Amino acid sequence: MKIGFVVNDIETEKAEYTTNRLALAAKEMGHEAWYMGIGDFAYEPDGSLSTKARAGHAKTYRSLERHMADVQKPDVEQAIGLDEFDVVMLRNDPADDAETDPWRNNAGVAFGQLIASSGVLVVNDPTSLANALSKAYFQHFPEIVRPRTLISRDEDSIEEFIKDLGGKAVLKPLQGSGGAGVFLVDRKEAPNLKQIIEAISRDGYVVAQEYLPEAAKGDVRMFVMNGQPLVVDGEYAAFRRTPSTKDIRSNMSAGGKAEKVKITDEMLQMVEVVRPKLVADGMFLVGLDIVGDKLMEINVFSPGGLGSAHSLYEVNFAPAIIAELERKVNIRRHYPEIDNHTLATS
């Protein structure tokens, strides 16, 4: 297979990222693994699609670092027709560019849709990703797995909602991820509440969410593939992310620490509840962020943490993901009429 991995910017990628683990696993399984940045696409006058892409061309690599170093060499860049690819995996995070380059937010899904229409398998399904560009997508999942939530720009409504919750809530912007702009407000923060709401609403809607006490222990990131927990050699691709300080953000990008986690029946039941929509939307690989008996977020764009799971359980989960893409490409060869979002999770 020829696999393309779409990232925000090749120059800012790091060796330990999940994308690099997937790319190296693909190479080790005999496939071509190409990187392309969100600004590297072109729709040509003849209606064809092309991209500037880079790949590591050594037969084998002894480390993730060597592979990434080769990919980031500027002289390896090539112009390639996108119809040459069997799979394109959208791994860019729109939140990373939301402030500096807002044009990038829609570019990935827009070109993803064009690529899918040319017959290349694109995961996760770009049309569904377009709907998931804001946190409002999360509200389409069953209420039983979600914390109580208000999405509004009205200061009085937000203050009343927080009062109904007992004076404690999490406030965050509707757009964005990675823990940016997330505030825990309680009685201590009450005098600053207006300023916090104003600061968040300056850039759009405010998400006010029920605070779950279990969040003090961090959250659990669980990888889900084809609507099922990702399991290899009896181990779940999951781990607990604990805050390194009193900061409520347990994201690894915000300094969180990864620890082993025991997967409970309650967690598996949550997967059962969200599976139908994930499958229907063509969400091939996602990360569920679980706190207590609720889901805090579903990362459908670029779920990270495979390296943490690998280190904790001494299991490499990446080859199982690439093997699943192999299976889908074989299905496409026999059944070219199956649409992209169906094949993405078939």
Side-chain angles (χ1 to χ4, degrees):
M1 292 191 302
K2 180 177 278 193
I3 306 176
F5 295 93
V6 179
V7 297
N8 293 67
D9 188 331
I10 297 172
E11 297 300 331
T12 59
E13 286 295 293
K14 295 182 179 178
E16 67 270 19
Y17 283 0
T18 292
T19 304
N20 193 40
R21 295 175 184 277
L22 292 169
L24 188 53
K27 275 194 66 68
E28 290 173 343
M29 294 168 72
H31 306 300
E32 293 183 41
W34 292 83
Y35 271 79
M36 54 197 80
I38 205 70
D40 291 335
F41 298 118
Y43 182 92
E44 304 293 349
D46 64 358
S48 64
L49 297 163
S50 66
T51 185
K52 291 183 288 186
R54 303 184 195 179
H57 293 292
K59 288 185 178 179
T60 59
Y61 287 95
R62 288 189 291 172
S63 69
L64 291 162
E65 288 74 17
R66 290 200 174 189
H67 179 249
M68 181 51 60
D70 266 10
V71 169
Q72 290 177 330
K73 287 179 180 176
D75 59 353
V76 300
E77 187 172 88
Q78 295 183 32
I80 304 177
L82 278 158
D83 60 352
E84 294 182 25
F85 287 88
D86 296 290
V87 183
V88 168
M89 199 168 193
L90 298 176
R91 292 282 306 169
N92 62 298
D93 186 350
D96 286 355
D97 298 316
E99 291 186 13
T100 56
D101 296 301
W103 62 267
R104 293 173 178 260
N105 274 11
N106 295 311
V109 294
F111 272 96
Q113 289 171 320
L114 289 170
I115 296 165
S117 69
S118 73
V120 177
L121 174 62
V122 180
V123 290
N124 290 337
D125 181 69
T127 299
S128 294
L129 287 181
N131 297 330
L133 280 170
S134 89
K135 289 188 174 71
Y137 176 73
F138 186 47
Q139 303 309 120
H140 290 282
F141 288 87
E143 188 176 352
I144 190 172
V145 297
R146 294 186 279 110
R148 287 182 62 196
T149 301
L150 168 71
I151 302 175
S152 176
R153 298 187 76 249
D154 184 79
E155 189 177 298
D156 292 338
S157 297
I158 295 169
E159 289 185 359
E160 186 63 29
F161 179 68
I162 294 172
K163 184 179 177 182
D164 289 344
L165 291 175
K168 197 168 188 176
V170 175
L171 300 185
K172 53 190 174 183
L174 186 59
Q175 305 288 136
S177 67
V182 179
F183 297 88
L184 172 61
V185 296
D186 53 20
R187 289 181 177 83
K188 288 182 183 177
E189 291 289 339
N192 303 319
L193 182 56
K194 288 184 186 297
Q195 291 93 321
I196 292 172
I197 295 172
E198 286 175 8
I200 299 175
S201 63
R202 198 175 297 129
D203 296 317
Y205 276 84
V206 179
V207 178
Q209 204 168 60
E210 171 189 7
Y211 174 74
L212 303 175
E214 296 94 333
K217 301 174 185 175
D219 63 4
V220 172
R221 160 59 58 89
M222 178 189 290
F223 280 87
V224 171
M225 182 172 71
N226 293 331
Q228 301 276 0
L230 176 55
V231 182
V232 175
D233 295 339
E235 298 286 359
Y236 287 90
F239 53 93
R240 183 175 295 281
R241 305 182 297 187
T242 58
S244 55
T245 65
K246 291 185 179 180
D247 192 327
I248 62 166
R249 300 172 300 166
S250 53
N251 304 68
M252 307 307 286
S253 59
K257 179 184 175 185
E259 299 175 350
K260 285 185 177 183
V261 65
K262 177 177 171 51
I263 299 303
T264 64
D265 290 342
E266 289 76 15
M267 293 177 188
L268 296 177
Q269 182 57 39
M270 271 188 268
V271 177
E272 288 292 323
V273 171
V274 300
R275 173 184 298 137
K277 182 164 179 59
L278 292 177
V279 171
D281 287 353
M283 296 300 186
F284 166 63
L285 185 68
V286 307
L288 304 186
D289 296 342
I290 303 168
V291 172
D293 61 351
K294 301 289 184 183
L295 278 173
M296 294 303 291
E297 194 168 342
I298 300 179
N299 187 321
V300 297
F301 282 96
S302 57
L306 275 191
S308 296
H310 187 168
S311 298
L312 290 168
Y313 306 108
E314 298 183 353
V315 172
N316 187 359
F317 295 93
I321 297 170
I322 301 302
E324 191 58 23
L325 292 177
E326 290 177 346
R327 189 181 67 84
K328 293 177 191 299
V329 167
N330 282 329
I331 293 174
R332 169 59 59 84
R333 288 176 182 142
H334 293 297
Y335 298 97
E337 69 275 12
I338 296 180
D339 59 78
N340 192 83
H341 79 265
T342 300
L343 183 58
T345 46
S346 293

